[in-house]
Amino acid sequence: MWNCPYASDNFLSFTEDFRDKNASPSFKMLSEVAHNKGIAIVGGSIPEQYGGRLYNTSCIFGIDGELLAEHRKVHLFDMNAPGDISFKESDNFTSGDRPTVVDTGHEKTTVIAEVNYSMIPLR
């Protein structure tokens, strides 16, 4: 996440609702930069509030600044090193349910940092 400190206590206070552009400063900024520079942007991830759930989401904007797709992280990072550290992303976020492939008009882009799903784009 780039728009907030990556700590469970911060996610809710930095949550954005992408359907309300006035309540989503990161979304708005990424859209404006894509449009003003004429570039496609994969901006993420951002804590997104949708349907009463919290997602770890990346937004993909076209060269016109329009939202092309949202990628909700599928593989949430859960780890436990006994006596050292324990962290469960799944305690805070809901898992997405599919990979995201976007046609930006120039190249197809796959948003994937899903260690356990690295073979999905090859199907």
Side-chain angles (χ1 to χ4, degrees):
M1 307 230 156
W2 61 270
N3 75 329
C4 71
Y6 195 85
S8 301
D9 296 345
N10 294 310
F11 297 143
L12 283 176
S13 58
F14 286 89
T15 296
E16 298 190 16
D17 177 355
F18 302 150
R19 275 129 299 280
D20 180 359
K21 302 231 174 32
N22 293 323
S24 186
S26 302
F27 181 99
K28 184 177 178 185
M29 182 274 298
L30 291 169
S31 173
E32 289 173 357
V33 170
H35 178 260
N36 292 340
K37 300 292 183 182
I39 58 173
I41 293 178
V42 178
S45 57
I46 300 168
E48 174 204 13
Q49 184 77 38
Y50 180 75
R53 296 180 179 203
L54 189 62
Y55 294 92
N56 183 339
T57 304
S58 295
C59 297
I60 301 92
F61 296 92
I63 61 173
D64 58 359
E66 293 298 313
L67 180 69
L68 298 176
E70 298 170 357
H71 173 72
R72 294 186 177 130
K73 188 175 179 185
V74 175
H75 177 251
L76 300 176
F77 181 70
D78 290 352
M79 61 89 62
N80 183 24
D84 190 23
I85 188 170
S86 179
F87 182 81
K88 290 183 70 179
E89 199 172 30
S90 62
D91 283 347
N92 298 288
F93 295 103
T94 301
S95 177
D97 60 2
R98 63 183 155 279
T100 304
V101 178
V102 178
D103 185 348
T104 63
H106 300 283
E107 297 178 18
K108 288 200 175 175
T109 304
T110 302
V111 178
I112 192 159
E114 311 281 1
V115 175
N116 290 347
Y117 303 99
S118 60
M119 297 304 288
I120 289 175
L122 301 177
R123 293 184 190 162

mmCIF file of all heavy atoms in Angstrom, residues 23-74:
data_model
loop_
_atom_site.group_PDB
_atom_site.id
_atom_site.type_symbol
_atom_site.label_atom_id
_atom_site.label_comp_id
_atom_site.label_asym_id
_atom_site.label_seq_id
_atom_site.Cartn_x
_atom_site.Cartn_y
_atom_site.Cartn_z
ATOM 1 N N ALA A 23 -14.349 11.222 -2.104
ATOM 2 C CA ALA A 23 -13.850 10.547 -0.899
ATOM 3 C C ALA A 23 -12.660 9.655 -1.228
ATOM 4 O O ALA A 23 -12.278 8.811 -0.441
ATOM 5 C CB ALA A 23 -14.974 9.713 -0.274
ATOM 6 N N SER A 24 -12.071 9.872 -2.405
ATOM 7 C CA SER A 24 -10.981 9.012 -2.850
ATOM 8 C C SER A 24 -9.856 9.836 -3.470
ATOM 9 O O SER A 24 -9.689 9.867 -4.689
ATOM 10 C CB SER A 24 -11.521 7.995 -3.866
ATOM 11 O OG SER A 24 -10.527 7.071 -4.200
ATOM 12 N N PRO A 25 -9.046 10.494 -2.637
ATOM 13 C CA PRO A 25 -7.992 11.368 -3.170
ATOM 14 C C PRO A 25 -6.913 10.625 -3.964
ATOM 15 O O PRO A 25 -6.395 11.161 -4.950
ATOM 16 C CB PRO A 25 -7.400 12.037 -1.929
ATOM 17 C CG PRO A 25 -7.785 11.158 -0.785
ATOM 18 C CD PRO A 25 -9.081 10.515 -1.170
ATOM 19 N N SER A 26 -6.571 9.408 -3.576
ATOM 20 C CA SER A 26 -5.544 8.649 -4.317
ATOM 21 C C SER A 26 -6.061 8.282 -5.702
ATOM 22 O O SER A 26 -5.362 8.435 -6.704
ATOM 23 C CB SER A 26 -5.153 7.386 -3.550
ATOM 24 O OG SER A 26 -4.676 7.711 -2.271
ATOM 25 N N PHE A 27 -7.288 7.800 -5.764
ATOM 26 C CA PHE A 27 -7.936 7.451 -7.022
ATOM 27 C C PHE A 27 -7.980 8.670 -7.945
ATOM 28 O O PHE A 27 -7.608 8.597 -9.117
ATOM 29 C CB PHE A 27 -9.348 6.944 -6.722
ATOM 30 C CG PHE A 27 -10.145 6.511 -7.918
ATOM 31 C CD1 PHE A 27 -10.239 5.165 -8.244
ATOM 32 C CD2 PHE A 27 -10.826 7.427 -8.695
ATOM 33 C CE1 PHE A 27 -10.990 4.751 -9.334
ATOM 34 C CE2 PHE A 27 -11.575 7.033 -9.780
ATOM 35 C CZ PHE A 27 -11.662 5.685 -10.107
ATOM 36 N N LYS A 28 -8.421 9.796 -7.405
ATOM 37 C CA LYS A 28 -8.535 11.033 -8.186
ATOM 38 C C LYS A 28 -7.178 11.473 -8.727
ATOM 39 O O LYS A 28 -7.046 11.836 -9.895
ATOM 40 C CB LYS A 28 -9.155 12.126 -7.319
ATOM 41 C CG LYS A 28 -9.398 13.413 -8.053
ATOM 42 C CD LYS A 28 -10.080 14.434 -7.162
ATOM 43 C CE LYS A 28 -10.263 15.730 -7.917
ATOM 44 N NZ LYS A 28 -10.814 16.783 -7.075
ATOM 45 N N MET A 29 -6.148 11.435 -7.883
ATOM 46 C CA MET A 29 -4.810 11.850 -8.304
ATOM 47 C C MET A 29 -4.277 10.947 -9.416
ATOM 48 O O MET A 29 -3.742 11.434 -10.417
ATOM 49 C CB MET A 29 -3.858 11.836 -7.106
ATOM 50 C CG MET A 29 -2.435 12.289 -7.411
ATOM 51 S SD MET A 29 -1.304 11.006 -8.026
ATOM 52 C CE MET A 29 -1.258 9.868 -6.675
ATOM 53 N N LEU A 30 -4.421 9.635 -9.269
ATOM 54 C CA LEU A 30 -3.934 8.706 -10.294
ATOM 55 C C LEU A 30 -4.653 8.932 -11.619
ATOM 56 O O LEU A 30 -4.030 8.924 -12.691
ATOM 57 C CB LEU A 30 -4.104 7.261 -9.829
ATOM 58 C CG LEU A 30 -3.208 6.828 -8.677
ATOM 59 C CD1 LEU A 30 -3.666 5.474 -8.126
ATOM 60 C CD2 LEU A 30 -1.753 6.772 -9.099
ATOM 61 N N SER A 31 -5.955 9.146 -11.560
ATOM 62 C CA SER A 31 -6.736 9.406 -12.761
ATOM 63 C C SER A 31 -6.267 10.683 -13.453
ATOM 64 O O SER A 31 -6.082 10.718 -14.680
ATOM 65 C CB SER A 31 -8.216 9.514 -12.388
ATOM 66 O OG SER A 31 -8.976 9.917 -13.497
ATOM 67 N N GLU A 32 -6.041 11.737 -12.687
ATOM 68 C CA GLU A 32 -5.592 13.013 -13.255
ATOM 69 C C GLU A 32 -4.203 12.899 -13.873
ATOM 70 O O GLU A 32 -3.959 13.438 -14.957
ATOM 71 C CB GLU A 32 -5.613 14.098 -12.176
ATOM 72 C CG GLU A 32 -7.006 14.508 -11.768
ATOM 73 C CD GLU A 32 -7.038 15.461 -10.580
ATOM 74 O OE1 GLU A 32 -5.968 15.779 -10.010
ATOM 75 O OE2 GLU A 32 -8.155 15.885 -10.221
ATOM 76 N N VAL A 33 -3.288 12.194 -13.220
ATOM 77 C CA VAL A 33 -1.936 12.033 -13.761
ATOM 78 C C VAL A 33 -1.985 11.236 -15.062
ATOM 79 O O VAL A 33 -1.331 11.606 -16.053
ATOM 80 C CB VAL A 33 -0.988 11.375 -12.735
ATOM 81 C CG1 VAL A 33 0.336 10.989 -13.383
ATOM 82 C CG2 VAL A 33 -0.751 12.312 -11.553
ATOM 83 N N ALA A 34 -2.744 10.145 -15.080
ATOM 84 C CA ALA A 34 -2.859 9.351 -16.311
ATOM 85 C C ALA A 34 -3.366 10.221 -17.457
ATOM 86 O O ALA A 34 -2.814 10.193 -18.568
ATOM 87 C CB ALA A 34 -3.781 8.155 -16.084
ATOM 88 N N HIS A 35 -4.401 11.004 -17.192
ATOM 89 C CA HIS A 35 -4.982 11.873 -18.226
ATOM 90 C C HIS A 35 -4.008 12.968 -18.649
ATOM 91 O O HIS A 35 -3.769 13.182 -19.845
ATOM 92 C CB HIS A 35 -6.277 12.494 -17.705
ATOM 93 C CG HIS A 35 -6.898 13.430 -18.673
ATOM 94 N ND1 HIS A 35 -6.761 14.797 -18.573
ATOM 95 C CD2 HIS A 35 -7.655 13.207 -19.778
ATOM 96 C CE1 HIS A 35 -7.388 15.375 -19.561
ATOM 97 N NE2 HIS A 35 -7.950 14.436 -20.314
ATOM 98 N N ASN A 36 -3.429 13.671 -17.688
ATOM 99 C CA ASN A 36 -2.541 14.803 -18.005
ATOM 100 C C ASN A 36 -1.262 14.380 -18.707
ATOM 101 O O ASN A 36 -0.736 15.117 -19.547
ATOM 102 C CB ASN A 36 -2.199 15.578 -16.734
ATOM 103 C CG ASN A 36 -3.397 16.299 -16.152
ATOM 104 O OD1 ASN A 36 -4.390 16.552 -16.834
ATOM 105 N ND2 ASN A 36 -3.330 16.609 -14.868
ATOM 106 N N LYS A 37 -0.740 13.213 -18.391
ATOM 107 C CA LYS A 37 0.502 12.723 -18.998
ATOM 108 C C LYS A 37 0.249 11.812 -20.195
ATOM 109 O O LYS A 37 1.187 11.452 -20.911
ATOM 110 C CB LYS A 37 1.354 11.967 -17.972
ATOM 111 C CG LYS A 37 1.773 12.805 -16.781
ATOM 112 C CD LYS A 37 2.757 13.877 -17.183
ATOM 113 C CE LYS A 37 3.232 14.665 -15.982
ATOM 114 N NZ LYS A 37 4.146 15.732 -16.347
ATOM 115 N N GLY A 38 -1.009 11.401 -20.407
ATOM 116 C CA GLY A 38 -1.339 10.513 -21.517
ATOM 117 C C GLY A 38 -0.711 9.132 -21.366
ATOM 118 O O GLY A 38 -0.248 8.554 -22.337
ATOM 119 N N ILE A 39 -0.705 8.647 -20.129
ATOM 120 C CA ILE A 39 -0.099 7.334 -19.862
ATOM 121 C C ILE A 39 -1.099 6.441 -19.128
ATOM 122 O O ILE A 39 -2.009 6.932 -18.456
ATOM 123 C CB ILE A 39 1.179 7.456 -18.995
ATOM 124 C CG1 ILE A 39 0.881 8.147 -17.666
ATOM 125 C CG2 ILE A 39 2.269 8.194 -19.761
ATOM 126 C CD1 ILE A 39 2.041 8.166 -16.679
ATOM 127 N N ALA A 40 -0.928 5.152 -19.278
ATOM 128 C CA ALA A 40 -1.697 4.194 -18.482
ATOM 129 C C ALA A 40 -0.967 4.011 -17.159
ATOM 130 O O ALA A 40 0.268 4.006 -17.117
ATOM 131 C CB ALA A 40 -1.825 2.868 -19.221
ATOM 132 N N ILE A 41 -1.720 3.890 -16.092
ATOM 133 C CA ILE A 41 -1.137 3.735 -14.759
ATOM 134 C C ILE A 41 -1.784 2.560 -14.039
ATOM 135 O O ILE A 41 -3.008 2.434 -14.025
ATOM 136 C CB ILE A 41 -1.345 5.006 -13.899
ATOM 137 C CG1 ILE A 41 -0.554 6.181 -14.465
ATOM 138 C CG2 ILE A 41 -0.952 4.750 -12.439
ATOM 139 C CD1 ILE A 41 -0.742 7.476 -13.693
ATOM 140 N N VAL A 42 -0.939 1.720 -13.458
ATOM 141 C CA VAL A 42 -1.395 0.715 -12.505
ATOM 142 C C VAL A 42 -1.023 1.269 -11.142
ATOM 143 O O VAL A 42 0.143 1.346 -10.793
ATOM 144 C CB VAL A 42 -0.717 -0.655 -12.729
ATOM 145 C CG1 VAL A 42 -1.173 -1.659 -11.680
ATOM 146 C CG2 VAL A 42 -0.994 -1.163 -14.146
ATOM 147 N N GLY A 43 -2.012 1.727 -10.411
ATOM 148 C CA GLY A 43 -1.768 2.374 -9.125
ATOM 149 C C GLY A 43 -2.269 1.536 -7.974
ATOM 150 O O GLY A 43 -3.461 1.335 -7.810
ATOM 151 N N GLY A 44 -1.354 1.051 -7.229
ATOM 152 C CA GLY A 44 -1.815 0.254 -6.097
ATOM 153 C C GLY A 44 -0.656 -0.174 -5.248
ATOM 154 O O GLY A 44 0.486 0.019 -5.596
ATOM 155 N N SER A 45 -1.039 -0.586 -4.143
ATOM 156 C CA SER A 45 -2.426 -0.846 -3.799
ATOM 157 C C SER A 45 -2.935 0.147 -2.762
ATOM 158 O O SER A 45 -2.167 0.846 -2.130
ATOM 159 C CB SER A 45 -2.594 -2.271 -3.297
ATOM 160 O OG SER A 45 -1.757 -2.535 -2.199
ATOM 161 N N ILE A 46 -4.258 0.185 -2.663
ATOM 162 C CA ILE A 46 -4.969 1.137 -1.821
ATOM 163 C C ILE A 46 -6.009 0.342 -1.040
ATOM 164 O O ILE A 46 -6.666 -0.528 -1.607
ATOM 165 C CB ILE A 46 -5.685 2.203 -2.692
ATOM 166 C CG1 ILE A 46 -4.675 2.979 -3.542
ATOM 167 C CG2 ILE A 46 -6.534 3.128 -1.852
ATOM 168 C CD1 ILE A 46 -5.318 3.832 -4.626
ATOM 169 N N PRO A 47 -6.223 0.642 0.246
ATOM 170 C CA PRO A 47 -7.316 -0.017 0.951
ATOM 171 C C PRO A 47 -8.657 0.513 0.415
ATOM 172 O O PRO A 47 -8.925 1.707 0.469
ATOM 173 C CB PRO A 47 -7.103 0.343 2.419
ATOM 174 C CG PRO A 47 -6.185 1.510 2.431
ATOM 175 C CD PRO A 47 -5.454 1.519 1.137
ATOM 176 N N GLU A 48 -9.446 -0.381 -0.148
ATOM 177 C CA GLU A 48 -10.722 -0.009 -0.773
ATOM 178 C C GLU A 48 -11.887 -0.553 0.049
ATOM 179 O O GLU A 48 -11.906 -1.723 0.409
ATOM 180 C CB GLU A 48 -10.803 -0.595 -2.187
ATOM 181 C CG GLU A 48 -12.151 -0.369 -2.842
ATOM 182 C CD GLU A 48 -12.491 -1.364 -3.928
ATOM 183 O OE1 GLU A 48 -11.810 -2.404 -4.046
ATOM 184 O OE2 GLU A 48 -13.474 -1.108 -4.643
ATOM 185 N N GLN A 49 -12.878 0.300 0.279
ATOM 186 C CA GLN A 49 -14.109 -0.098 0.946
ATOM 187 C C GLN A 49 -15.158 -0.336 -0.126
ATOM 188 O O GLN A 49 -15.414 0.544 -0.953
ATOM 189 C CB GLN A 49 -14.573 1.014 1.888
ATOM 190 C CG GLN A 49 -15.793 0.662 2.703
ATOM 191 C CD GLN A 49 -15.459 -0.253 3.869
ATOM 192 O OE1 GLN A 49 -14.430 -0.098 4.496
ATOM 193 N NE2 GLN A 49 -16.311 -1.204 4.147
ATOM 194 N N TYR A 50 -15.741 -1.531 -0.140
ATOM 195 C CA TYR A 50 -16.782 -1.832 -1.118
ATOM 196 C C TYR A 50 -17.711 -2.896 -0.542
ATOM 197 O O TYR A 50 -17.247 -3.928 -0.064
ATOM 198 C CB TYR A 50 -16.181 -2.317 -2.443
ATOM 199 C CG TYR A 50 -17.224 -2.635 -3.474
ATOM 200 C CD1 TYR A 50 -17.895 -1.606 -4.133
ATOM 201 C CD2 TYR A 50 -17.556 -3.938 -3.776
ATOM 202 C CE1 TYR A 50 -18.873 -1.884 -5.073
ATOM 203 C CE2 TYR A 50 -18.529 -4.229 -4.722
ATOM 204 C CZ TYR A 50 -19.187 -3.198 -5.368
ATOM 205 O OH TYR A 50 -20.160 -3.467 -6.290
ATOM 206 N N GLY A 51 -18.984 -2.622 -0.616
ATOM 207 C CA GLY A 51 -19.973 -3.594 -0.168
ATOM 208 C C GLY A 51 -19.793 -4.015 1.285
ATOM 209 O O GLY A 51 -20.044 -5.172 1.626
ATOM 210 N N GLY A 52 -19.340 -3.087 2.127
ATOM 211 C CA GLY A 52 -19.146 -3.398 3.534
ATOM 212 C C GLY A 52 -17.896 -4.215 3.823
ATOM 213 O O GLY A 52 -17.702 -4.687 4.944
ATOM 214 N N ARG A 53 -17.050 -4.372 2.819
ATOM 215 C CA ARG A 53 -15.809 -5.129 2.989
ATOM 216 C C ARG A 53 -14.607 -4.268 2.628
ATOM 217 O O ARG A 53 -14.718 -3.299 1.887
ATOM 218 C CB ARG A 53 -15.824 -6.382 2.113
ATOM 219 C CG ARG A 53 -16.913 -7.336 2.514
ATOM 220 C CD ARG A 53 -16.917 -8.546 1.646
ATOM 221 N NE ARG A 53 -17.974 -9.434 2.111
ATOM 222 C CZ ARG A 53 -17.987 -10.704 1.877
ATOM 223 N NH1 ARG A 53 -17.025 -11.267 1.180
ATOM 224 N NH2 ARG A 53 -18.967 -11.456 2.317
ATOM 225 N N LEU A 54 -13.445 -4.677 3.135
ATOM 226 C CA LEU A 54 -12.189 -3.985 2.872
ATOM 227 C C LEU A 54 -11.337 -4.858 1.961
ATOM 228 O O LEU A 54 -11.151 -6.051 2.227
ATOM 229 C CB LEU A 54 -11.473 -3.721 4.195
ATOM 230 C CG LEU A 54 -10.250 -2.818 4.169
ATOM 231 C CD1 LEU A 54 -10.621 -1.423 3.689
ATOM 232 C CD2 LEU A 54 -9.637 -2.747 5.562
ATOM 233 N N TYR A 55 -10.841 -4.268 0.858
ATOM 234 C CA TYR A 55 -10.010 -4.981 -0.112
ATOM 235 C C TYR A 55 -8.675 -4.276 -0.267
ATOM 236 O O TYR A 55 -8.571 -3.062 -0.107
ATOM 237 C CB TYR A 55 -10.693 -5.022 -1.491
ATOM 238 C CG TYR A 55 -11.961 -5.820 -1.522
ATOM 239 C CD1 TYR A 55 -13.188 -5.217 -1.290
ATOM 240 C CD2 TYR A 55 -11.938 -7.186 -1.785
ATOM 241 C CE1 TYR A 55 -14.369 -5.939 -1.319
ATOM 242 C CE2 TYR A 55 -13.116 -7.919 -1.815
ATOM 243 C CZ TYR A 55 -14.327 -7.288 -1.584
ATOM 244 O OH TYR A 55 -15.479 -8.018 -1.608
ATOM 245 N N ASN A 56 -7.649 -5.032 -0.637
ATOM 246 C CA ASN A 56 -6.339 -4.509 -1.003
ATOM 247 C C ASN A 56 -6.372 -4.405 -2.532
ATOM 248 O O ASN A 56 -6.241 -5.407 -3.227
ATOM 249 C CB ASN A 56 -5.258 -5.482 -0.522
ATOM 250 C CG ASN A 56 -3.863 -4.995 -0.784
ATOM 251 O OD1 ASN A 56 -3.635 -4.146 -1.623
ATOM 252 N ND2 ASN A 56 -2.905 -5.563 -0.076
ATOM 253 N N THR A 57 -6.563 -3.201 -3.048
ATOM 254 C CA THR A 57 -6.932 -3.008 -4.451
ATOM 255 C C THR A 57 -5.947 -2.129 -5.214
ATOM 256 O O THR A 57 -5.482 -1.117 -4.704
ATOM 257 C CB THR A 57 -8.338 -2.378 -4.534
ATOM 258 O OG1 THR A 57 -9.260 -3.205 -3.818
ATOM 259 C CG2 THR A 57 -8.801 -2.211 -5.963
ATOM 260 N N SER A 58 -5.672 -2.533 -6.446
ATOM 261 C CA SER A 58 -4.918 -1.712 -7.394
ATOM 262 C C SER A 58 -5.878 -1.236 -8.475
ATOM 263 O O SER A 58 -6.735 -1.997 -8.927
ATOM 264 C CB SER A 58 -3.796 -2.525 -8.052
ATOM 265 O OG SER A 58 -2.845 -2.911 -7.098
ATOM 266 N N CYS A 59 -5.739 0.013 -8.890
ATOM 267 C CA CYS A 59 -6.578 0.583 -9.945
ATOM 268 C C CYS A 59 -5.755 0.757 -11.212
ATOM 269 O O CYS A 59 -4.597 1.173 -11.156
ATOM 270 C CB CYS A 59 -7.114 1.944 -9.523
ATOM 271 S SG CYS A 59 -8.179 1.877 -8.091
ATOM 272 N N ILE A 60 -6.361 0.454 -12.345
ATOM 273 C CA ILE A 60 -5.688 0.593 -13.634
ATOM 274 C C ILE A 60 -6.429 1.665 -14.429
ATOM 275 O O ILE A 60 -7.628 1.547 -14.683
ATOM 276 C CB ILE A 60 -5.657 -0.735 -14.412
ATOM 277 C CG1 ILE A 60 -4.933 -1.823 -13.599
ATOM 278 C CG2 ILE A 60 -4.956 -0.535 -15.754
ATOM 279 C CD1 ILE A 60 -5.818 -2.650 -12.735
ATOM 280 N N PHE A 61 -5.691 2.733 -14.786
ATOM 281 C CA PHE A 61 -6.267 3.851 -15.513
ATOM 282 C C PHE A 61 -5.708 3.897 -16.926
ATOM 283 O O PHE A 61 -4.523 3.665 -17.153
ATOM 284 C CB PHE A 61 -5.941 5.171 -14.806
ATOM 285 C CG PHE A 61 -6.543 5.274 -13.439
ATOM 286 C CD1 PHE A 61 -5.832 4.869 -12.326
ATOM 287 C CD2 PHE A 61 -7.821 5.761 -13.282
ATOM 288 C CE1 PHE A 61 -6.387 4.949 -11.061
ATOM 289 C CE2 PHE A 61 -8.391 5.851 -12.012
ATOM 290 C CZ PHE A 61 -7.672 5.434 -10.903
ATOM 291 N N GLY A 62 -6.580 4.241 -17.890
ATOM 292 C CA GLY A 62 -6.161 4.411 -19.273
ATOM 293 C C GLY A 62 -5.553 5.779 -19.509
ATOM 294 O O GLY A 62 -5.546 6.642 -18.616
ATOM 295 N N ILE A 63 -5.077 5.997 -20.720
ATOM 296 C CA ILE A 63 -4.415 7.254 -21.061
ATOM 297 C C ILE A 63 -5.360 8.461 -20.986
ATOM 298 O O ILE A 63 -4.912 9.593 -20.912
ATOM 299 C CB ILE A 63 -3.737 7.184 -22.440
ATOM 300 C CG1 ILE A 63 -4.760 6.914 -23.535
ATOM 301 C CG2 ILE A 63 -2.640 6.123 -22.441
ATOM 302 C CD1 ILE A 63 -4.195 6.991 -24.941
ATOM 303 N N ASP A 64 -6.662 8.196 -20.979
ATOM 304 C CA ASP A 64 -7.652 9.270 -20.839
ATOM 305 C C ASP A 64 -8.024 9.528 -19.379
ATOM 306 O O ASP A 64 -8.858 10.373 -19.085
ATOM 307 C CB ASP A 64 -8.909 8.946 -21.644
ATOM 308 C CG ASP A 64 -9.548 7.621 -21.230
ATOM 309 O OD1 ASP A 64 -9.014 6.929 -20.319
ATOM 310 O OD2 ASP A 64 -10.576 7.264 -21.828
ATOM 311 N N GLY A 65 -7.395 8.778 -18.459
ATOM 312 C CA GLY A 65 -7.673 8.946 -17.038
ATOM 313 C C GLY A 65 -8.861 8.144 -16.538
ATOM 314 O O GLY A 65 -9.178 8.188 -15.354
ATOM 315 N N GLU A 66 -9.505 7.430 -17.441
ATOM 316 C CA GLU A 66 -10.660 6.625 -17.034
ATOM 317 C C GLU A 66 -10.205 5.316 -16.403
ATOM 318 O O GLU A 66 -9.200 4.734 -16.811
ATOM 319 C CB GLU A 66 -11.563 6.334 -18.236
ATOM 320 C CG GLU A 66 -12.238 7.566 -18.791
ATOM 321 C CD GLU A 66 -13.164 8.250 -17.789
ATOM 322 O OE1 GLU A 66 -13.973 7.558 -17.136
ATOM 323 O OE2 GLU A 66 -13.061 9.487 -17.642
ATOM 324 N N LEU A 67 -10.969 4.856 -15.427
ATOM 325 C CA LEU A 67 -10.686 3.586 -14.775
ATOM 326 C C LEU A 67 -10.972 2.450 -15.740
ATOM 327 O O LEU A 67 -12.075 2.330 -16.267
ATOM 328 C CB LEU A 67 -11.552 3.431 -13.520
ATOM 329 C CG LEU A 67 -11.346 2.136 -12.740
ATOM 330 C CD1 LEU A 67 -9.966 2.117 -12.087
ATOM 331 C CD2 LEU A 67 -12.439 1.984 -11.677
ATOM 332 N N LEU A 68 -9.953 1.628 -16.005
ATOM 333 C CA LEU A 68 -10.125 0.469 -16.876
ATOM 334 C C LEU A 68 -10.497 -0.777 -16.087
ATOM 335 O O LEU A 68 -11.250 -1.619 -16.565
ATOM 336 C CB LEU A 68 -8.833 0.197 -17.669
ATOM 337 C CG LEU A 68 -8.377 1.292 -18.619
ATOM 338 C CD1 LEU A 68 -7.039 0.919 -19.248
ATOM 339 C CD2 LEU A 68 -9.433 1.544 -19.690
ATOM 340 N N ALA A 69 -9.919 -0.903 -14.896
ATOM 341 C CA ALA A 69 -10.186 -2.089 -14.078
ATOM 342 C C ALA A 69 -9.682 -1.864 -12.663
ATOM 343 O O ALA A 69 -8.871 -0.979 -12.406
ATOM 344 C CB ALA A 69 -9.490 -3.317 -14.680
ATOM 345 N N GLU A 70 -10.190 -2.687 -11.783
ATOM 346 C CA GLU A 70 -9.700 -2.758 -10.404
ATOM 347 C C GLU A 70 -9.227 -4.185 -10.186
ATOM 348 O O GLU A 70 -9.867 -5.124 -10.644
ATOM 349 C CB GLU A 70 -10.820 -2.467 -9.406
ATOM 350 C CG GLU A 70 -11.415 -1.104 -9.516
ATOM 351 C CD GLU A 70 -12.678 -0.959 -8.676
ATOM 352 O OE1 GLU A 70 -13.118 -1.947 -8.052
ATOM 353 O OE2 GLU A 70 -13.230 0.137 -8.658
ATOM 354 N N HIS A 71 -8.105 -4.330 -9.517
ATOM 355 C CA HIS A 71 -7.622 -5.664 -9.146
ATOM 356 C C HIS A 71 -7.649 -5.763 -7.636
ATOM 357 O O HIS A 71 -6.942 -5.017 -6.945
ATOM 358 C CB HIS A 71 -6.209 -5.922 -9.653
ATOM 359 C CG HIS A 71 -5.647 -7.215 -9.133
ATOM 360 N ND1 HIS A 71 -6.092 -8.443 -9.585
ATOM 361 C CD2 HIS A 71 -4.734 -7.479 -8.174
ATOM 362 C CE1 HIS A 71 -5.444 -9.404 -8.933
ATOM 363 N NE2 HIS A 71 -4.621 -8.834 -8.066
ATOM 364 N N ARG A 72 -8.475 -6.660 -7.139
ATOM 365 C CA ARG A 72 -8.525 -6.922 -5.696
ATOM 366 C C ARG A 72 -7.623 -8.114 -5.418
ATOM 367 O O ARG A 72 -7.810 -9.194 -5.983
ATOM 368 C CB ARG A 72 -9.956 -7.196 -5.264
ATOM 369 C CG ARG A 72 -10.813 -5.955 -5.423
ATOM 370 C CD ARG A 72 -12.205 -6.139 -4.875
ATOM 371 N NE ARG A 72 -12.928 -4.887 -4.997
ATOM 372 C CZ ARG A 72 -14.139 -4.790 -5.527
ATOM 373 N NH1 ARG A 72 -14.775 -5.864 -5.946
ATOM 374 N NH2 ARG A 72 -14.718 -3.611 -5.606
ATOM 375 N N LYS A 73 -6.640 -7.892 -4.572
ATOM 376 C CA LYS A 73 -5.618 -8.900 -4.295
ATOM 377 C C LYS A 73 -6.259 -10.232 -3.914
ATOM 378 O O LYS A 73 -7.089 -10.299 -3.009
ATOM 379 C CB LYS A 73 -4.696 -8.402 -3.189
ATOM 380 C CG LYS A 73 -3.492 -9.286 -2.961
ATOM 381 C CD LYS A 73 -2.570 -8.657 -1.926
ATOM 382 C CE LYS A 73 -1.373 -9.549 -1.662
ATOM 383 N NZ LYS A 73 -0.549 -9.000 -0.579
ATOM 384 N N VAL A 74 -5.849 -11.279 -4.606
ATOM 385 C CA VAL A 74 -6.408 -12.614 -4.403
ATOM 386 C C VAL A 74 -5.685 -13.346 -3.277
ATOM 387 O O VAL A 74 -6.310 -13.872 -2.359
ATOM 388 C CB VAL A 74 -6.338 -13.439 -5.710
ATOM 389 C CG1 VAL A 74 -6.801 -14.860 -5.481
ATOM 390 C CG2 VAL A 74 -7.153 -12.765 -6.810
#
